[in-house]
Amino acid sequence: MKKALPFLLSPAPKDYLWGGTRLKSEYGKQSNTKLLAETWECSTHPDGQSIVSSGQFQGLSLGEVLKIHPEYLGTHSKGNLPILIKFIDANSDLSIQVHPDDYYAKKNEDDQLGKAELWYILHADKNAKIIYGFQRKIDKKQLEYALTTNAIEKYLQYIPVKKDDVYFIEPGLVHAIGAGIVIVEIQESSNLTYRLFDYNRHDQNGNKRELHIKKALDVINLDNITEPKQPMRLLNYFKGYASELLCRCKYFKVERILLNTERYSNMADFCTGRSSFQVLLCIKGCGVLFGENIMINFFKGDCIFIPSQSVSLKLHGQAQMLNIGC
C-alpha cells in the first residue's frame, strides 16, 4: 500500500463578539472581519471545516479527504475524526458555560458527541483568570436563584493563569475563559455549549445572547469545588528535540515538542507507521517537515495533518509544537 503524505490545513474563522486581533497579528490568521475570536484549525465539524492548503487534496475540506481516504484516520477513530483543534483569543470574558458528556449529548442532541476539552495557555495578560467550577457548595435551587438575580459570579472559582499552563475541562464543569487570554483548545468534535450567564450582553442585532439554563442544569456538576492542579510534566530529550506529555485521556493525547536542530543536519524519524492520525500545531518558531516525496515549511500558527501509516518523517528548525492524536 502506498504511504500517505501529510498536508497543511487552513482554518475556519469565527468572529464572536468577545474576540480580538492577536490571532491575526501574532499567528498570521486571515479573516474579513475586524475581530477574530477562534480559528478551527483541524475540524470536520459541519459548523466549521478546515480546508486542505497543500498537496494533492488542496482546496478540499478535511471531511471530503477523509471520506475518500478513511484509512487516514487509523484504528482509533471509529470512522470519524473525533477531535477539533482551535486557537481562541478572548479579548473580553467568554460566557459562563458548561458542556454535556457523550451520554447526554447522544440522547438529547441528535446523537452528537459531548465536549471534553483541554486548554493550553499561549498568552495571559497580567491578572488574567479563568473560571473553573465553584468556590463553595451550592445546590440547584441556590444556583437557579443566583442566575435569576445575576448573582452567579459570587459562587464561582476564579483561577489566575499564566503562559504554558494546562487545564482539562471535563463535561459538567462550569467554566469560562477570562479576558486577555489566548489558548489552544483540543476538544471532542462537538459544538455543544450551554450558556448559564453572559453578562447580559447583546448580539449584533441587539438581542440578548441565548442562554440554555434548563440543559445546563441537567448536566452541571455542583460538587466540583477543587482548585485545579497543573499536571506533572517531564521533558524527554532526543536528538534535536525534547517532548513532554501534557494530557492523555480517553478522548485525545497531547504532547508539546521543543524542536532545536541547529546543531544537526536533520532529525531522527519523527513518526513511522503510527496506527492513528496525528496533528502538529506550531505555536512558536518555524521549521520544515520532510520525508519521501514531501517537504512542508511551517510557521507559527500552522497546522499539519499527518495521516495514519504516513511516510517516515523528519523535522528540522527551531519551533515549539503541539502533537495531538488519539
Side-chain angles (χ1 to χ4, degrees), residues 15-51:
D15 63 342
Y16 307 133
L17 58 81
W18 43 260
T21 59
R22 285 182 178 272
L23 298 185
K24 291 183 177 182
S25 63
E26 297 182 22
Y27 292 86
K29 302 304 173 181
Q30 304 295 317
S31 172
N32 294 326
T33 60
K34 181 179 179 181
L35 300 180
L36 186 56
E38 299 182 356
T39 53
W40 292 17
E41 297 293 327
C42 181
S43 169
T44 59
H45 196 281
D47 291 343
Q49 291 215 32
S50 45
I51 304 299

Side-chain angles (χ1 to χ4, degrees), residues 115-172:
K115 192 175 176 185
E117 58 194 33
L118 182 80
W119 297 347
Y120 178 81
I121 308 294
L122 294 170
H123 168 85
D125 287 350
K126 185 179 180 180
N127 300 322
K129 297 178 181 179
I130 63 170
I131 292 171
Y132 188 98
F134 297 99
Q135 62 171 308
R136 53 191 164 119
K137 286 283 189 179
I138 182 173
D139 61 32
K140 190 168 289 189
K141 286 187 177 180
Q142 287 176 303
L143 179 57
E144 289 177 316
Y145 181 75
L147 290 169
T148 60
T149 58
N150 292 335
I152 179 63
E153 293 173 87
K154 72 179 183 180
Y155 291 98
L156 299 171
Q157 180 173 223
Y158 291 82
I159 304 295
V161 298
K162 63 183 185 304
K163 182 180 179 180
D164 197 39
D165 281 351
V166 177
Y167 297 92
F168 185 73
I169 309 298
E170 61 186 13

Side-chain angles (χ1 to χ4, degrees), residues 29-265:
K29 302 304 173 181
Q30 304 295 317
S31 172
N32 294 326
T33 60
K34 181 179 179 181
L35 300 180
L36 186 56
E38 299 182 356
T39 53
W40 292 17
E41 297 293 327
C42 181
S43 169
T44 59
H45 196 281
D47 291 343
Q49 291 215 32
S50 45
I51 304 299
V52 178
S53 56
S54 73
Q56 63 175 318
F57 303 113
Q58 186 170 355
L60 296 181
S61 71
L62 180 57
E64 289 173 322
V65 173
L66 295 180
K67 284 183 180 179
I68 299 169
H69 289 286
E71 71 275 11
Y72 283 6
L73 290 170
T75 58
H76 301 297
S77 57
K78 300 179 181 178
N80 296 296
L81 182 70
I83 59 172
L84 197 164
I85 302 168
K86 306 174 179 178
F87 284 112
I88 298 178
D89 177 13
N91 188 55
S92 58
D93 294 334
L94 272 67
S95 62
I96 298 166
Q97 57 191 241
V98 67
H99 304 307
D101 61 15
D102 290 343
Y103 177 81
Y104 185 92
K106 288 179 181 296
K107 185 177 180 181
N108 297 280
E109 299 284 3
D110 298 323
D111 205 36
Q112 296 186 64
L113 289 175
K115 192 175 176 185
E117 58 194 33
L118 182 80
W119 297 347
Y120 178 81
I121 308 294
L122 294 170
H123 168 85
D125 287 350
K126 185 179 180 180
N127 300 322
K129 297 178 181 179
I130 63 170
I131 292 171
Y132 188 98
F134 297 99
Q135 62 171 308
R136 53 191 164 119
K137 286 283 189 179
I138 182 173
D139 61 32
K140 190 168 289 189
K141 286 187 177 180
Q142 287 176 303
L143 179 57
E144 289 177 316
Y145 181 75
L147 290 169
T148 60
T149 58
N150 292 335
I152 179 63
E153 293 173 87
K154 72 179 183 180
Y155 291 98
L156 299 171
Q157 180 173 223
Y158 291 82
I159 304 295
V161 298
K162 63 183 185 304
K163 182 180 179 180
D164 197 39
D165 281 351
V166 177
Y167 297 92
F168 185 73
I169 309 298
E170 61 186 13
L173 177 72
V174 173
H175 64 277
I177 304 169
I181 299 173
V182 180
I183 72 168
V184 175
E185 180 175 283
I186 299 104
Q187 57 163 91
E188 292 182 84
S189 182
S190 173
N191 198 25
L192 292 176
T193 295
Y194 301 153
R195 294 193 197 106
L196 282 161
F197 184 64
D198 194 43
Y199 309 100
N200 299 310
R201 289 185 291 200
H202 294 75
D203 62 22
Q204 59 186 3
N205 299 316
N207 301 313
K208 277 192 175 182
R209 297 182 82 205
E210 183 182 6
L211 301 179
H212 316 90
I213 303 298
K214 183 181 182 302
K215 289 181 177 179
L217 293 175
D218 282 345
V219 304
I220 199 166
N221 178 2
L222 296 175
D223 296 324
N224 194 319
I225 57 172
T226 303
E227 184 174 340
K229 295 180 180 179
Q230 288 300 300
M232 185 73 70
R233 291 162 63 172
L234 177 66
L235 278 173
N236 295 299
Y237 291 90
F238 305 92
K239 183 179 179 181
Y241 75 105
S243 69
E244 62 177 355
L245 180 66
L246 301 182
C247 176
R248 178 184 285 140
C249 63
K250 67 178 182 179
Y251 309 105
F252 41 71
K253 177 184 176 182
V254 183
E255 297 174 292
R256 185 169 72 118
I257 294 175
L258 291 80
L259 176 68
N260 185 355
T261 60
E262 62 182 348
R263 294 187 293 113
Y264 304 100
S265 60

